[in-house]
Amino acid sequence: MDKQTLNVAFATQKGGSGKTAITVLVASYLHYNCGCPLAVIDCDFPQHSLYEMRERDSRAVLENEYLKRMAYEQMREPGRAAYPVQKCRVERAPDMAAELAGNGNYDLLFFDLPGTVNSSGILRTIAQMDYIFAPVSADQTVLESTLAFLDVLQRMMLGKETSRLKGLYLFWNLVDKREKSELYGRYEKVIAGMGLPMLTTQIPDTKRFRKELDAENRVVFRSTLFAPDKRMVAGSGIPELAHEIISILKL
C-alpha cells in the first residue's frame, strides 16, 4: 500500500502571527537538515509571500557566487535539491495537493493559508489538512481569535468523516522572556479546558526571524533554498519544533 502524503498547515486567524516565517523555517529544516521529502503550497492570495520569497531567494543565488557555490554543494547531496513552492488560490489548493502527491514521493505538503476564514474556499481546503499547528502569542486579542477559530474546527471537522483533520495543536510564538511565566500558565489552563494540546516548544521573539537571504550576506536563516545556519538556528526553537512535529506525525 502506498504511503499517504500528509497535509500540514500553520494556521491562525490573525495577521502578523509569524505563520509564513515558521512554515519556511520548519519546511527548510525538515527538508535540508533531516532529508524529509516535502513541497509547499502557497495559497495566501493575493500576497503569496512564500512564493515571492522563493523568487527573491533564486535571484540572490544568481547574483552571488558564494551562494551559488552553496546551492551547488547542497544539491549534490541526495534528496537535498530545492523543494517545490507552488502558488494558487485557496479553493484550488486541494486539487494542487492531489497533483503533487500523485506526481512526487512526498512525505509532507505544507500549506500557507490565508489569515481569515472569510476567504472563498478556505473551509474546504482546511478540511483537507491532516494536522494544523497554530502559533499563538500571549495577547488576549490574538488568543481569543485563534481559540474561537480552533473551536470551530474542533467541532466541525476534527475526526469527522467529511474531513481529514486528525489533530489541532497550539504552540507559543513570539515569546518575550521578560514576561512573567504566570501569564502563560493562566492561558494554558483555558486552552487545556478546551481539550486542545499545547506543544512544549516555545518560539522566542527575536529579530532573526525577519532575516531573509540576500546577495550581500553569507549567513542564511529564513530561506526556501537553504537550511537555516547552525549559528542562527541555535536558540530559535526551530529544531525543537520540527522534531516535535515529526513525533506527532510519526514520520
Side-chain angles (χ1 to χ4, degrees):
M1 180 179 176
D2 293 337
K3 67 178 180 182
Q4 184 186 37
T5 302
L6 295 175
N7 295 338
V8 177
F10 295 98
T12 68
Q13 271 289 88
K14 294 293 289 183
S17 63
K19 66 181 178 63
T20 298
I22 289 173
T23 300
V24 171
L25 285 160
V26 171
S28 293
Y29 184 86
L30 288 176
H31 182 73
Y32 300 121
N33 284 91
C34 304
C36 178
L38 59 86
V40 173
I41 298 174
D42 181 354
C43 46
D44 190 7
F45 176 85
Q47 57 267 31
H48 289 304
S49 303
L50 210 152
Y51 183 85
E52 291 300 320
M53 190 186 302
R54 166 57 63 84
E55 295 287 291
R56 290 193 298 275
D57 286 347
S58 300
R59 287 195 297 269
V61 168
L62 289 173
E63 294 166 5
N64 183 285
E65 288 302 319
Y66 175 79
L67 295 176
K68 204 176 290 185
R69 285 195 302 272
M70 273 183 61
Y72 174 72
E73 291 298 324
Q74 181 173 267
M75 288 182 66
R76 290 177 62 187
E77 299 181 36
R80 298 304 196 275
Y83 55 78
V85 177
Q86 305 281 2
K87 70 174 181 177
C88 65
R89 297 289 288 257
V90 69
E91 62 269 22
R92 168 92 175 94
D95 299 323
M96 181 169 280
E99 291 170 14
L100 281 168
N103 296 334
N105 188 29
Y106 301 115
D107 287 349
L108 291 176
L109 295 179
F110 278 108
F111 292 71
D112 194 22
L113 299 172
T116 171
V117 291
N118 294 327
S119 300
S120 175
I122 192 170
L123 290 178
R124 173 178 174 256
T125 296
I126 290 175
Q128 294 303 307
M129 297 302 105
D130 292 290
Y131 294 90
I132 287 178
F133 297 91
V136 289
S137 57
D139 175 286
Q140 186 172 348
T141 303
V142 172
L143 266 169
E144 287 179 357
S145 172
T146 303
L147 291 178
F149 168 61
L150 295 178
D151 180 57
V152 170
L153 301 188
Q154 191 177 38
R155 289 184 289 106
M156 289 177 57
M157 298 185 186
L158 192 61
K160 301 291 193 293
E161 290 184 3
T162 53
S163 166
R164 286 176 54 156
L165 196 58
K166 304 174 182 70
L168 295 167
Y169 296 84
L170 294 94
F171 62 95
W172 291 115
N173 187 36
L174 303 172
V175 174
D176 186 342
K177 297 297 185 183
R178 297 167 297 181
E179 290 179 332
K180 293 183 178 180
S181 58
E182 306 93 74
L183 180 70
Y184 290 94
R186 289 201 301 272
Y187 284 137
E188 284 180 2
K189 285 182 181 178
V190 174
I191 292 166
M194 294 177 64
L196 292 169
M198 174 72 75
L199 302 186
T200 59
T201 302
Q202 297 186 355
I203 305 297
D205 185 8
T206 169
K207 290 180 180 178
R208 78 184 79 173
F209 282 91
R210 296 187 283 277
K211 186 174 182 58
E212 277 194 39
L213 181 68
D214 63 69
E216 303 301 318
N217 203 310
R218 294 186 173 193
V219 180
V220 176
F221 186 57
R222 194 175 75 178
S223 169
T224 65
L225 291 177
F226 299 105
D229 186 278
K230 290 180 181 178
R231 293 164 292 179
M232 294 194 74
V233 81
S236 70
I238 293 301
E240 294 82 0
L241 179 62
H243 287 291
E244 196 167 0
I245 289 171
I246 285 174
S247 175
I248 289 167
L249 304 185
K250 298 180 171 59
L251 292 178

